Amino acid sequence: QVCLTYHKAMGERGKVYSSVVVCPPTSFSSQGQTSSSGDNATSSKFVVHRSGLSVDVAAASAQRSMSGQRNNEGSLDETLPITVEPIDPPSTIKLSVPEQVSLLIVNHSSQPMNLQLQMRLSDMTGVVICGSSFVGLGEIPPSGGSCTVDVRLVALVAGLFSVKGCYIVDLSSGMELQQPPLFDVFVKLPAEELEEKKATDIVDF
């Protein structure tokens, strides 16, 4: 809820309260969690909305440390000890034109990890990886250690899509961490195709 405080010219003060703002539920669920209907569960109490994920996880880790809790399976930093988020991702891309995107990988755990980034084509729709889908990241230091890596994406069809299918694999333990969708992007048609489509729509009308 938002509270706005105002001051009138004659010194009168007042407050105006907004209606209650409800954050959207996270679209992320741990791998293997399903609802009774068979769909992926979305009952997490954390708000995960694309960029800013590493900040959310770091905040959860700091809060857990201050409270003295050693292990808390419901904590976001326990659910996602490694996070991947895009750096300044594009809001639009062109159809069939490869686009380079930088990704920030952060190790929130207390142990160094030898990691590999995987972009799995089977989990991607509309916008897919272009080039090598597996990238070795080497050993990432613990407690906020990070690295960046560039990947290339290409759009196969026009429309609005979520870039997903990102996994982090710990090569030492074999642990796999599925990441939430990285970002949303709108795929535009080339100018010539757009003009042809408009002309076709006019003729059909």
Side-chain angles (χ1 to χ4, degrees), residues 16 47-48 59 62 97 116 121 188:
V16 177
V47 176
V48 180
V97 178
Q116 182 183 68
L121 190 61
K188 299 189 298 184

Side-chain angles (χ1 to χ4, degrees), residues 67-84:
S67 64
Q69 294 178 330
R70 292 184 176 271
N71 293 302
N72 183 0
E73 293 184 358
S75 177
L76 187 56
D77 61 314
E78 291 287 327
T79 305
L80 284 174
I82 307 294
T83 57
V84 180

Side-chain angles (χ1 to χ4, degrees), residues 71-150:
N71 293 302
N72 183 0
E73 293 184 358
S75 177
L76 187 56
D77 61 314
E78 291 287 327
T79 305
L80 284 174
I82 307 294
T83 57
V84 180
E85 61 180 318
I87 301 173
D88 193 22
S91 58
T92 60
I93 60 176
K94 296 179 180 178
L95 183 67
S96 303
V97 178
E99 181 84 17
Q100 182 170 291
V101 177
S102 296
L103 302 177
L104 172 68
I105 297 91
V106 182
N107 180 6
H108 301 276
S109 74
S110 59
Q111 301 294 328
M113 291 189 180
N114 184 21
L115 302 177
Q116 182 183 68
L117 174 76
Q118 298 183 2
M119 301 295 292
R120 298 183 180 177
L121 190 61
S122 59
D123 291 351
M124 307 182 85
T125 305
V127 178
V128 300
I129 190 69
C130 178
S132 177
S133 57
F134 288 18
V135 181
L137 305 175
E139 187 172 280
I140 309 299
S143 304
S146 64
C147 71
T148 58
V149 64
D150 293 332

Side-chain angles (χ1 to χ4, degrees), residues 50 90-93 125-127 155 157-163 183-188:
R50 313 304 193 263
S91 58
T92 60
I93 60 176
T125 305
V127 178
V157 291
L160 180 64
F161 299 98
S162 289
V163 177
F183 61 97
D184 296 327
V185 65
F186 182 72
V187 181
K188 299 189 298 184

Side-chain angles (χ1 to χ4, degrees), residues 192-205:
E192 297 95 6
E193 291 187 22
L194 190 58
E195 290 299 325
E196 289 180 7
K197 187 175 185 304
K198 287 181 179 179
T200 303
D201 291 341
I202 292 174
V203 171
D204 292 340
F205 180 78

